Amino acid sequence: MTGAEVREAFLKYFERNGHTRVTSSPLVPAGDPTLLFTNAGMVQFKGVFLGEDKRDYVRATTCQKCVRAGGKHNDLENVGRTARHHTFFEMLGNFSFGDYFKADAIRFAWEFLTKDLGLDQRRLKATVFRDDDEAFGLWKSVAGLPDDRILRLGEEDNFWAMGDTGPCGPCSEVHFHQGDDLPCAEVAAGRPCLGPACECDRWLEIWNLVFMQFNRDASGTMTPLPRPSIDTGMGLERTSAVLQGKRSDYETDLFAPLIRHISRLTGKPYGADAEHDVSMQVIADHARATTFLIADGVLPSNEWRGYVLRRIMRRAMRHGRKLGLTEPFLWRGVEWVGEVMGRAYPEIVREHRRLTEVVRQEEEQFARTLDQGMRRLEEFAQTQGAGRGRPIDGRLLFTLYDTYGFPRDLAEEVLVDQGWRATDETERAWSAEMEAQRERARAKAAFGGDEDASDTVALYQQIGGSLARPQQFIGYETLTAPATILAMVAEGRRVREAATGDEVEIILDRTPGYAESGGQIGDRGSLVGRAGRAEIVDTYYRGSKLIVHRVKVAEGGFHENEDVAVTIDSPRRQGLRQHHTGTHLLHAALRRVLGTHVAQAGSLVAPDHLRFDFSHGSGVKDREIEQIEELVNEQVQANIPVTNAEMNLKEALAAGAMALFGEKYGERVRVVKIGDFSTELCGGTHLDATGQIGFFKVAEEGAVASGVRRIEAVAGTAAVETVARRERVLREIADILKVGADEAPQRLRKLLDEQKLLERQLAEMETKLARGKADDLVASARQVNGVAVVAGRIDGLDPDGLRAVADTLRDRLGSGVVCVGSVLDGKVNLVAAVTKDLVKRFPAGKLIQEVAQAAGGRGGGRPDLAQAGAPDPGRLDAALALVADWVGRQG
Ligand SMILES: [Zn+2]
Ligand SMILES: [Zn+2]
């Protein structure tokens, strides 16, 4: 059975048993900003299980696209090295939403495995949760399994929970016996293999049935759910491997064609060299993840989801180099993956061009990175010579990484080849540099990237570290507050005082000022002290999340430790709130109108406009823009409350997201929710309710990069002004046309039609005139050595028109030499044409050279037709007079 057949057989089987076939949801989970990627079939049904969502079916079956990258269960570095780890995989599942329960779930699983797939039942065992006598009994009665083939396992293996609270319950797994010839650590240690409970590969888990039976509350008490549910997951790759008698997923027909392509491209056989095999498996796996992630709207970047994708892509590229590929190659993977999976997932074929382009760009960028790094390493080798066992300097590795993005392991590899050695010392130096860089990066990100001297960074870190209490941001609640000046910095140095006219950075113990982040620009306002007044011109982060106000002292002065009153510019902040909440609405509307592949690629929130970049393959049509505006304005009119809640990231995030995400956002995250319409992780300042937006208008739509579009939009007063401005333009047009605004388009169209007609008439007249002129010229033909020669000028013709005239003249002569010139816009055009019978004696190309030269220009062409341009109209007549001479001279 092919992978595609297994997929289809599964879905068909459950359809036959009353399940609705539901399409896989995108890899970027809709409405769940805390989850890195869709990683299981149940993700799209989470709300249904929680009772928040209703569907018009109670049984569903899916083949779900999943990505797991990073995190404790799927270390990226393991992928490709084992038979089973994947970044991208497909999960088959059947779901019951309060409909059937354990008995049917077990019956379905058993019937499908043994009848539809025809697996040998003697090679199957089941596991159940320790206390789940019900499931144990069902495996006996429904499947007829003897006691010794049903294992009771503990909570760790066989109990599932959606979170700390909420639905949970025991699970039951089906395992397949691959064979006792496979290595087992237990056996090697002189103990018996633990079977399905063992770490080894002798028994392979193929299906997990989750029985959602209880609801756990905050105190940990579990109460039975009134309508228990079923959630199951079966890996398509490993099931296909079992059915195809393969012990590695990479040998199944889901991967083998990809491996063959890679093998062909590299000229290296698969199965001959273990390291090469790993590289090929890495590329095959990562090509799938790359293709599907980009298709679902993720773009390689340095942030969150985009960063995971970039790591996956770069790892594949690195392994390509290990196989000797020096040219970009991963982009071909899009097509390979399309060949294998395009039928089941038409989006990867449909978007083929965009996907290929994104991958190629990333590859080219990475290739530049590698080139720069390699050059630097060569320089190093020239100055330092061979390593002769000396330890590699971790700082060198870091510089390469930091300056060029050159991967450390690659640099190490190159250096080890030259006789250097990676030691603990290397590691220590690297880690120290990495830590310092992290600090710098934080400061830089917070400051918008124009930070220079690392001592300034150090200074802010020192100030941050010296605070008695952490600085307080109180800008969600208030716009004005008393505060104390803790420190002042001018030109990178700490100062005790600031006087009139000084521009300094001020750190307060608490402030309502919002520091630029998450696209929202920093607040402005004023600072009033006992003897001075200053204007806050910007607010941003420095050091490790230290809010800094840049101020201009307008009057008097300030000193350290002084108590001041801070006031944030309230209308400006209101504009920021309108545009930030507007951004969230726009984002949600885009996903609804264009599709869930839309993912934020960048955002700017200003007091008077917003800019939103997002992944989308084509331009947004006018109709779609209208729908988006309509949808947003509907939310505005519904005046939906905007709520926010702080949550614990650790609990909220999948293990894989933690490492990337935790650092950037800290332990606590703020989730901003606008009814059911939008949910986003966001630290920005928002309106209390959408009605305060007043009115929302898209001002501009365009492309920023391949696959990335940009929308500029306005809210509130700015939106009204935009419309008013457009209205003025329209009125002006109507005034010029002397009609009402409503009739303007029709009038304009009519005018343009008339213009087109006039142009056509004019062109006809010109042709007529030229033809008349041509008649004159034919009549003026001279005989030179028995050859008819026409030379003359018709001004006002462009090269095309002139060529048409020359053609006509040549035809009319039947046999002869033609050369015509024309002056248009102060420049000379020349065309020479010669009839077929004379091209040997009088090649047009030669003729035109001579004539053009005489007019100060240059030209050339075929023996029968040639053209030229020249700068000097004053010399045209003299040049044309040369034609007859030239013909005479050719004998
Ligand atoms: Zn074992
Ligand atoms: Zn936001």
Side-chain angles (χ1 to χ4, degrees), residues 259 263-264 266-273 276-277 280 323:
I259 303 253
S263 169
R264 204 168 298 146
T266 55
K268 302 215 166 21
Y270 181 62
D273 173 305
H276 286 167
D277 288 354
M280 290 187 203
L323 292 171

Side-chain angles (χ1 to χ4, degrees), residues 695-708:
F695 175 49
F696 177 90
K697 178 90 194 136
V698 171
E700 217 66 73
E701 192 275 338
V704 262
S706 89
V708 184

Side-chain angles (χ1 to χ4, degrees), residues 414-426:
V414 174
L415 289 167
V416 166
D417 281 348
Q418 292 170 1
W420 299 82
R421 214 157 40 87
T423 65
D424 289 350
E425 187 49 44
T426 311

